[in-house]
Amino acid sequence: MSQTEAALFKAGTVQAADLASTLDLSGKTVTLPANTGGKVIGTKFQWKEATQLSVGSANTWTDAGVDFTYTPVSSTSVLHISLDGIIGGDNNCSVRLRETANSVNNILDVAAVGSSSVGYGDFYDLSYTSYGYRHYHLAWHYAPGVTSALTFDLQVIAASAITFRVGRMNATNNPYTITSGVQLSIIEYAGTRSELT
C-alpha cells in the first residue's frame, strides 16, 4: 500500500473509485456499526410434497413428515423459519418444530416464550369440502448460535388417534379440494435476537 493509500484509509475517506473492481473479503470478518444488523446473509427454500399420516396414540408427539436441514452462515445470526400450506386432521391437534442437533424440542419454547407453550394448536376438520380449505402461515424465530448443520422436523400431537394431513385435504376428487404440498423457507439475518417489550 502506498503512502497516499495509507493516508486515505487512515482518514476514513476511501471512495469507490479508490478500490479495485472487486473486493475480496474471503476469510475476513466485517464488523458493522451498532444497530445496523438485520441484513440477510443466507436463505433456503424447499418444497415438500403433500403427505398424510396416522397419529395412532393420543397425547404423543409424532413426526409429521416435514423434515429439512440448514447450515447457518453465522453463529450470531437469527433464523426466520416459515411453513406455508394446508395443515389439518380429523380432530383437534397441535404442531411443533424441533431442532434435533441441539436437542431443542420446541423452538417456540426458547428465550422468553416459556416452557408452557406446546406449539401451534387447533388444526382440524380438513375432511369435508363444505368447510373449504385452511391455509396456514407458521413462523418461528430461532438463534441457534452455531454454524454447523441443523436438522428440523415438524411434529403433531392430538387428543385422540387421527389422520393428519400436510399440504392436502382428505378428498382429492373434485375442484373444491386441494393437494398442493407446503413451502418451507429460512431467511438468516445478521444480528442478535431481541424480545418485544
Side-chain angles (χ1 to χ4, degrees):
M1 180 181 294
S2 68
Q3 289 184 342
T4 300
E5 291 171 328
L8 285 172
F9 275 100
K10 184 176 181 180
T13 58
V14 177
Q15 304 296 316
D18 298 320
L19 300 174
S21 58
T22 60
L23 182 61
D24 185 1
L25 296 177
S26 300
K28 305 297 182 183
T29 299
V30 177
T31 302
L32 297 174
N35 302 317
T36 59
K39 305 296 188 295
V40 174
I41 59 175
T43 60
K44 182 176 182 179
F45 299 91
Q46 188 171 346
W47 182 258
K48 286 286 188 179
E49 293 295 330
T51 185
Q52 174 175 299
L53 64 134
S54 295
V55 179
S57 301
N59 302 316
T60 300
W61 287 105
T62 303
D63 194 332
V66 179
D67 307 318
F68 55 100
T69 61
Y70 182 76
T71 302
V73 175
S74 170
S75 62
T76 60
S77 62
V78 178
L79 308 182
H80 174 80
I81 307 167
S82 62
L83 184 152
D84 290 271
I86 301 165
I87 303 172
D90 301 322
N91 206 333
N92 289 23
C93 50
S94 297
V95 296
R96 71 179 183 182
L97 185 67
R98 294 195 310 166
E99 191 273 286
T100 58
N102 292 304
S103 300
V104 178
N105 283 330
N106 188 354
I107 287 178
L108 281 181
D109 282 351
V110 299
V113 176
S115 59
S116 61
S117 173
V118 296
Y120 291 95
D122 293 330
F123 301 99
Y124 65 98
D125 284 341
L126 295 184
S127 300
Y128 303 102
T129 58
S130 60
Y131 293 160
Y133 70 91
R134 291 172 175 82
H135 181 278
Y136 289 96
H137 171 78
L138 308 182
W140 300 265
H141 282 87
Y142 182 44
V146 298
T147 55
S148 54
L150 305 175
T151 300
F152 299 90
D153 61 48
L154 190 73
Q155 291 190 314
V156 57
I157 193 171
S160 62
I162 64 168
T163 299
F164 185 71
R165 302 172 187 86
V166 176
R168 57 160 293 176
M169 295 178 67
N170 184 29
T172 58
N173 57 353
N174 63 58
Y176 301 101
T177 55
I178 308 295
T179 300
S180 58
V182 293
Q183 177 177 287
L184 296 157
S185 62
I186 296 180
I187 302 175
E188 182 177 355
Y189 295 95
T192 57
R193 168 180 167 149
S194 61
E195 303 296 333
L196 292 173
T197 56

PDB file of all heavy atoms in Angstrom, residues 14 21 36 61 64 67 71 83-84 88 91 100 104 108 122-123 129 131 139 144-145 165 172-173:
ATOM      1  N   VAL A  14     -12.013   6.720   2.031  1.00  0.00           N
ATOM      2  CA  VAL A  14     -11.894   5.844   0.868  1.00  0.00           C
ATOM      3  C   VAL A  14     -13.170   5.917   0.049  1.00  0.00           C
ATOM      4  O   VAL A  14     -14.276   5.749   0.574  1.00  0.00           O
ATOM      5  CB  VAL A  14     -11.622   4.394   1.301  1.00  0.00           C
ATOM      6  CG1 VAL A  14     -11.571   3.487   0.089  1.00  0.00           C
ATOM      7  CG2 VAL A  14     -10.326   4.330   2.090  1.00  0.00           C
ATOM      8  N   SER A  21     -11.857  -3.280  -8.768  1.00  0.00           N
ATOM      9  CA  SER A  21     -13.205  -3.576  -9.276  1.00  0.00           C
ATOM     10  C   SER A  21     -13.919  -4.611  -8.417  1.00  0.00           C
ATOM     11  O   SER A  21     -15.145  -4.665  -8.381  1.00  0.00           O
ATOM     12  CB  SER A  21     -13.126  -4.066 -10.720  1.00  0.00           C
ATOM     13  OG  SER A  21     -12.304  -5.228 -10.781  1.00  0.00           O
ATOM     14  N   THR A  36     -26.940  -1.752  13.253  1.00  0.00           N
ATOM     15  CA  THR A  36     -27.076  -1.854  11.796  1.00  0.00           C
ATOM     16  C   THR A  36     -27.209  -3.308  11.370  1.00  0.00           C
ATOM     17  O   THR A  36     -26.954  -3.649  10.235  1.00  0.00           O
ATOM     18  CB  THR A  36     -25.871  -1.216  11.070  1.00  0.00           C
ATOM     19  OG1 THR A  36     -24.671  -1.889  11.494  1.00  0.00           O
ATOM     20  CG2 THR A  36     -25.766   0.258  11.362  1.00  0.00           C
ATOM     21  N   TRP A  61     -46.239 -37.030  20.697  1.00  0.00           N
ATOM     22  CA  TRP A  61     -45.695 -36.301  19.550  1.00  0.00           C
ATOM     23  C   TRP A  61     -45.275 -37.284  18.463  1.00  0.00           C
ATOM     24  O   TRP A  61     -44.578 -38.252  18.740  1.00  0.00           O
ATOM     25  CB  TRP A  61     -44.509 -35.441  19.972  1.00  0.00           C
ATOM     26  CG  TRP A  61     -44.903 -34.234  20.770  1.00  0.00           C
ATOM     27  CD1 TRP A  61     -44.752 -34.052  22.108  1.00  0.00           C
ATOM     28  CD2 TRP A  61     -45.527 -33.060  20.267  1.00  0.00           C
ATOM     29  NE1 TRP A  61     -45.235 -32.823  22.474  1.00  0.00           N
ATOM     30  CE2 TRP A  61     -45.724 -32.182  21.370  1.00  0.00           C
ATOM     31  CE3 TRP A  61     -45.949 -32.638  19.009  1.00  0.00           C
ATOM     32  CZ2 TRP A  61     -46.313 -30.922  21.238  1.00  0.00           C
ATOM     33  CZ3 TRP A  61     -46.538 -31.382  18.880  1.00  0.00           C
ATOM     34  CH2 TRP A  61     -46.713 -30.548  19.978  1.00  0.00           C
ATOM     35  N   ALA A  64     -44.400 -35.525  11.585  1.00  0.00           N
ATOM     36  CA  ALA A  64     -45.404 -35.187  10.575  1.00  0.00           C
ATOM     37  C   ALA A  64     -44.896 -35.325   9.145  1.00  0.00           C
ATOM     38  O   ALA A  64     -45.607 -34.987   8.195  1.00  0.00           O
ATOM     39  CB  ALA A  64     -45.904 -33.764  10.806  1.00  0.00           C
ATOM     40  N   ASP A  67     -39.362 -32.710   7.208  1.00  0.00           N
ATOM     41  CA  ASP A  67     -38.004 -32.636   7.743  1.00  0.00           C
ATOM     42  C   ASP A  67     -37.140 -31.830   6.774  1.00  0.00           C
ATOM     43  O   ASP A  67     -37.283 -31.956   5.550  1.00  0.00           O
ATOM     44  CB  ASP A  67     -37.408 -34.028   7.913  1.00  0.00           C
ATOM     45  CG  ASP A  67     -38.302 -34.952   8.734  1.00  0.00           C
ATOM     46  OD1 ASP A  67     -38.845 -34.491   9.748  1.00  0.00           O
ATOM     47  OD2 ASP A  67     -38.458 -36.122   8.343  1.00  0.00           O
ATOM     48  N   THR A  71     -27.695 -24.968   7.250  1.00  0.00           N
ATOM     49  CA  THR A  71     -26.417 -24.662   7.885  1.00  0.00           C
ATOM     50  C   THR A  71     -26.273 -23.152   7.986  1.00  0.00           C
ATOM     51  O   THR A  71     -26.145 -22.473   6.966  1.00  0.00           O
ATOM     52  CB  THR A  71     -25.236 -25.247   7.091  1.00  0.00           C
ATOM     53  OG1 THR A  71     -25.402 -26.659   6.963  1.00  0.00           O
ATOM     54  CG2 THR A  71     -23.928 -24.952   7.796  1.00  0.00           C
ATOM     55  N   LEU A  83     -43.411 -21.912   7.319  1.00  0.00           N
ATOM     56  CA  LEU A  83     -44.056 -23.005   6.608  1.00  0.00           C
ATOM     57  C   LEU A  83     -45.408 -22.501   6.127  1.00  0.00           C
ATOM     58  O   LEU A  83     -46.192 -21.966   6.915  1.00  0.00           O
ATOM     59  CB  LEU A  83     -44.220 -24.223   7.524  1.00  0.00           C
ATOM     60  CG  LEU A  83     -44.798 -25.502   6.910  1.00  0.00           C
ATOM     61  CD1 LEU A  83     -44.283 -26.725   7.667  1.00  0.00           C
ATOM     62  CD2 LEU A  83     -46.322 -25.505   6.939  1.00  0.00           C
ATOM     63  N   ASP A  84     -45.678 -22.652   4.839  1.00  0.00           N
ATOM     64  CA  ASP A  84     -46.932 -22.209   4.257  1.00  0.00           C
ATOM     65  C   ASP A  84     -47.620 -23.378   3.565  1.00  0.00           C
ATOM     66  O   ASP A  84     -46.997 -24.084   2.761  1.00  0.00           O
ATOM     67  CB  ASP A  84     -46.678 -21.104   3.229  1.00  0.00           C
ATOM     68  CG  ASP A  84     -46.238 -19.813   3.879  1.00  0.00           C
ATOM     69  OD1 ASP A  84     -47.129 -19.021   4.226  1.00  0.00           O
ATOM     70  OD2 ASP A  84     -45.032 -19.600   4.050  1.00  0.00           O
ATOM     71  N   GLY A  88     -53.908 -29.970   8.609  1.00  0.00           N
ATOM     72  CA  GLY A  88     -55.082 -30.301   9.413  1.00  0.00           C
ATOM     73  C   GLY A  88     -55.244 -31.782   9.624  1.00  0.00           C
ATOM     74  O   GLY A  88     -54.470 -32.601   9.121  1.00  0.00           O
ATOM     75  N   ASN A  91     -59.387 -34.219  13.873  1.00  0.00           N
ATOM     76  CA  ASN A  91     -59.788 -33.721  15.187  1.00  0.00           C
ATOM     77  C   ASN A  91     -58.739 -32.704  15.640  1.00  0.00           C
ATOM     78  O   ASN A  91     -57.729 -32.507  14.965  1.00  0.00           O
ATOM     79  CB  ASN A  91     -59.898 -34.871  16.193  1.00  0.00           C
ATOM     80  CG  ASN A  91     -60.873 -34.562  17.313  1.00  0.00           C
ATOM     81  OD1 ASN A  91     -61.092 -33.402  17.643  1.00  0.00           O
ATOM     82  ND2 ASN A  91     -61.450 -35.598  17.903  1.00  0.00           N
ATOM     83  N   THR A 100     -33.117 -30.889  16.090  1.00  0.00           N
ATOM     84  CA  THR A 100     -32.597 -32.071  16.779  1.00  0.00           C
ATOM     85  C   THR A 100     -31.110 -32.023  17.096  1.00  0.00           C
ATOM     86  O   THR A 100     -30.668 -32.652  18.061  1.00  0.00           O
ATOM     87  CB  THR A 100     -32.905 -33.335  15.961  1.00  0.00           C
ATOM     88  OG1 THR A 100     -32.328 -33.200  14.656  1.00  0.00           O
ATOM     89  CG2 THR A 100     -34.415 -33.519  15.814  1.00  0.00           C
ATOM     90  N   VAL A 104     -33.376 -29.242  20.823  1.00  0.00           N
ATOM     91  CA  VAL A 104     -34.419 -28.253  21.111  1.00  0.00           C
ATOM     92  C   VAL A 104     -35.746 -28.855  20.665  1.00  0.00           C
ATOM     93  O   VAL A 104     -36.035 -28.948  19.480  1.00  0.00           O
ATOM     94  CB  VAL A 104     -34.147 -26.924  20.375  1.00  0.00           C
ATOM     95  CG1 VAL A 104     -35.265 -25.924  20.658  1.00  0.00           C
ATOM     96  CG2 VAL A 104     -32.808 -26.354  20.805  1.00  0.00           C
ATOM     97  N   LEU A 108     -40.573 -22.796  19.804  1.00  0.00           N
ATOM     98  CA  LEU A 108     -41.364 -21.761  20.461  1.00  0.00           C
ATOM     99  C   LEU A 108     -41.009 -21.615  21.937  1.00  0.00           C
ATOM    100  O   LEU A 108     -41.348 -20.622  22.559  1.00  0.00           O
ATOM    101  CB  LEU A 108     -42.853 -22.070  20.347  1.00  0.00           C
ATOM    102  CG  LEU A 108     -43.513 -21.739  19.006  1.00  0.00           C
ATOM    103  CD1 LEU A 108     -44.990 -22.072  19.060  1.00  0.00           C
ATOM    104  CD2 LEU A 108     -43.334 -20.288  18.627  1.00  0.00           C
ATOM    105  N   ASP A 122     -55.002 -26.223  17.339  1.00  0.00           N
ATOM    106  CA  ASP A 122     -56.301 -26.146  16.682  1.00  0.00           C
ATOM    107  C   ASP A 122     -56.229 -26.261  15.163  1.00  0.00           C
ATOM    108  O   ASP A 122     -56.805 -25.464  14.432  1.00  0.00           O
ATOM    109  CB  ASP A 122     -57.033 -24.854  17.072  1.00  0.00           C
ATOM    110  CG  ASP A 122     -57.417 -24.844  18.528  1.00  0.00           C
ATOM    111  OD1 ASP A 122     -57.657 -25.927  19.071  1.00  0.00           O
ATOM    112  OD2 ASP A 122     -57.467 -23.761  19.117  1.00  0.00           O
ATOM    113  N   PHE A 123     -55.527 -27.257  14.699  1.00  0.00           N
ATOM    114  CA  PHE A 123     -55.583 -27.618  13.282  1.00  0.00           C
ATOM    115  C   PHE A 123     -56.543 -28.801  13.175  1.00  0.00           C
ATOM    116  O   PHE A 123     -56.270 -29.863  13.736  1.00  0.00           O
ATOM    117  CB  PHE A 123     -54.203 -28.026  12.766  1.00  0.00           C
ATOM    118  CG  PHE A 123     -53.177 -26.954  12.919  1.00  0.00           C
ATOM    119  CD1 PHE A 123     -52.284 -26.966  13.969  1.00  0.00           C
ATOM    120  CD2 PHE A 123     -53.102 -25.913  12.012  1.00  0.00           C
ATOM    121  CE1 PHE A 123     -51.332 -25.976  14.119  1.00  0.00           C
ATOM    122  CE2 PHE A 123     -52.155 -24.911  12.158  1.00  0.00           C
ATOM    123  CZ  PHE A 123     -51.266 -24.940  13.210  1.00  0.00           C
ATOM    124  N   THR A 129     -65.324 -31.039   2.071  1.00  0.00           N
ATOM    125  CA  THR A 129     -65.148 -29.907   1.171  1.00  0.00           C
ATOM    126  C   THR A 129     -66.024 -28.731   1.557  1.00  0.00           C
ATOM    127  O   THR A 129     -65.725 -27.594   1.217  1.00  0.00           O
ATOM    128  CB  THR A 129     -65.485 -30.321  -0.264  1.00  0.00           C
ATOM    129  OG1 THR A 129     -66.839 -30.802  -0.315  1.00  0.00           O
ATOM    130  CG2 THR A 129     -64.566 -31.407  -0.747  1.00  0.00           C
ATOM    131  N   TYR A 131     -66.263 -27.293   4.254  1.00  0.00           N
ATOM    132  CA  TYR A 131     -65.560 -26.413   5.166  1.00  0.00           C
ATOM    133  C   TYR A 131     -64.532 -25.544   4.447  1.00  0.00           C
ATOM    134  O   TYR A 131     -63.923 -24.682   5.053  1.00  0.00           O
ATOM    135  CB  TYR A 131     -64.832 -27.223   6.244  1.00  0.00           C
ATOM    136  CG  TYR A 131     -65.735 -27.954   7.190  1.00  0.00           C
ATOM    137  CD1 TYR A 131     -65.259 -29.026   7.935  1.00  0.00           C
ATOM    138  CD2 TYR A 131     -67.071 -27.593   7.346  1.00  0.00           C
ATOM    139  CE1 TYR A 131     -66.081 -29.715   8.815  1.00  0.00           C
ATOM    140  CE2 TYR A 131     -67.894 -28.269   8.212  1.00  0.00           C
ATOM    141  CZ  TYR A 131     -67.411 -29.333   8.950  1.00  0.00           C
ATOM    142  OH  TYR A 131     -68.215 -30.004   9.817  1.00  0.00           O
ATOM    143  N   ALA A 139     -44.660 -19.418  11.552  1.00  0.00           N
ATOM    144  CA  ALA A 139     -43.345 -18.777  11.546  1.00  0.00           C
ATOM    145  C   ALA A 139     -42.675 -18.920  12.903  1.00  0.00           C
ATOM    146  O   ALA A 139     -43.333 -18.859  13.945  1.00  0.00           O
ATOM    147  CB  ALA A 139     -43.473 -17.302  11.171  1.00  0.00           C
ATOM    148  N   PRO A 144     -29.723 -20.202  16.836  1.00  0.00           N
ATOM    149  CA  PRO A 144     -29.064 -21.433  17.302  1.00  0.00           C
ATOM    150  C   PRO A 144     -27.669 -21.231  17.862  1.00  0.00           C
ATOM    151  O   PRO A 144     -27.186 -22.037  18.655  1.00  0.00           O
ATOM    152  CB  PRO A 144     -29.029 -22.306  16.051  1.00  0.00           C
ATOM    153  CG  PRO A 144     -29.064 -21.337  14.915  1.00  0.00           C
ATOM    154  CD  PRO A 144     -29.902 -20.182  15.380  1.00  0.00           C
ATOM    155  N   GLY A 145     -26.969 -20.176  17.447  1.00  0.00           N
ATOM    156  CA  GLY A 145     -25.631 -19.920  17.978  1.00  0.00           C
ATOM    157  C   GLY A 145     -24.544 -20.822  17.442  1.00  0.00           C
ATOM    158  O   GLY A 145     -23.494 -20.963  18.078  1.00  0.00           O
ATOM    159  N   ARG A 165     -52.857 -34.383   7.958  1.00  0.00           N
ATOM    160  CA  ARG A 165     -52.506 -34.089   6.567  1.00  0.00           C
ATOM    161  C   ARG A 165     -51.689 -32.809   6.484  1.00  0.00           C
ATOM    162  O   ARG A 165     -51.996 -31.833   7.153  1.00  0.00           O
ATOM    163  CB  ARG A 165     -53.771 -33.960   5.724  1.00  0.00           C
ATOM    164  CG  ARG A 165     -54.623 -35.216   5.762  1.00  0.00           C
ATOM    165  CD  ARG A 165     -55.971 -35.003   5.077  1.00  0.00           C
ATOM    166  NE  ARG A 165     -56.801 -36.186   5.284  1.00  0.00           N
ATOM    167  CZ  ARG A 165     -57.578 -36.378   6.353  1.00  0.00           C
ATOM    168  NH1 ARG A 165     -57.648 -35.446   7.289  1.00  0.00           N
ATOM    169  NH2 ARG A 165     -58.288 -37.469   6.475  1.00  0.00           N
ATOM    170  N   THR A 172     -59.711 -35.708  -2.683  1.00  0.00           N
ATOM    171  CA  THR A 172     -58.927 -35.062  -3.745  1.00  0.00           C
ATOM    172  C   THR A 172     -59.569 -35.261  -5.106  1.00  0.00           C
ATOM    173  O   THR A 172     -58.910 -35.132  -6.126  1.00  0.00           O
ATOM    174  CB  THR A 172     -57.500 -35.645  -3.778  1.00  0.00           C
ATOM    175  OG1 THR A 172     -57.585 -37.067  -3.985  1.00  0.00           O
ATOM    176  CG2 THR A 172     -56.755 -35.353  -2.492  1.00  0.00           C
ATOM    177  N   ASN A 173     -60.879 -35.543  -5.116  1.00  0.00           N
ATOM    178  CA  ASN A 173     -61.512 -35.949  -6.374  1.00  0.00           C
ATOM    179  C   ASN A 173     -62.433 -34.893  -6.959  1.00  0.00           C
ATOM    180  O   ASN A 173     -63.252 -35.193  -7.818  1.00  0.00           O
ATOM    181  CB  ASN A 173     -62.310 -37.251  -6.156  1.00  0.00           C
ATOM    182  CG  ASN A 173     -63.358 -37.094  -5.064  1.00  0.00           C
ATOM    183  OD1 ASN A 173     -63.398 -36.077  -4.400  1.00  0.00           O
ATOM    184  ND2 ASN A 173     -64.176 -38.114  -4.894  1.00  0.00           N
TER     185      ASN A 173
END
